[in-house]
Amino acid sequence: YLVQNGVLPCRAGADGDALHEALSSGVEVLADEFSLRERGISGPEVARGVQPAKIDVVVERLAESWKVLFL
């Protein structure tokens, strides 16, 4: 779950090798909607494979014992 400046590599065309490796490995990558909005990143500007999500999604998954990594 990418938050604050961690969402910057989510911009389509950004140099985010680690992000692209994670996506190609099948890791689900979620980006905080609020952080994206605060940095002017929206809709088509978000890299393919990255899913904008509210913190509620993370809280629900943590409650279900998912493993979540915040970056």
Side-chain angles (χ1 to χ4, degrees), residues 53-64:
K54 294 182 179 182
I55 189 69
D56 301 2
V57 172
V58 176
V59 171
E60 290 170 9
R61 290 184 179 184
L62 286 170
E64 296 171 358

Side-chain angles (χ1 to χ4, degrees), residues 1-2 9-13 18-32 36 43-53 61:
Y1 187 66
L2 304 173
C10 294
R11 293 170 291 150
L19 173 65
H20 298 296
E21 286 181 37
L23 290 168
S24 66
S25 297
V27 173
E28 181 181 28
V29 177
L30 303 176
D32 179 51
L36 289 168
E45 297 171 329
V46 178
R48 175 178 283 163
V50 175
Q51 299 297 318
R61 290 184 179 184

Side-chain angles (χ1 to χ4, degrees), residues 2-12 14-15 19 36 39 41:
L2 304 173
V3 297
Q4 297 186 6
N5 284 341
V7 302
L8 294 176
C10 294
R11 293 170 291 150
D15 184 22
L19 173 65
L36 289 168
R39 284 149 187 84
I41 304 170

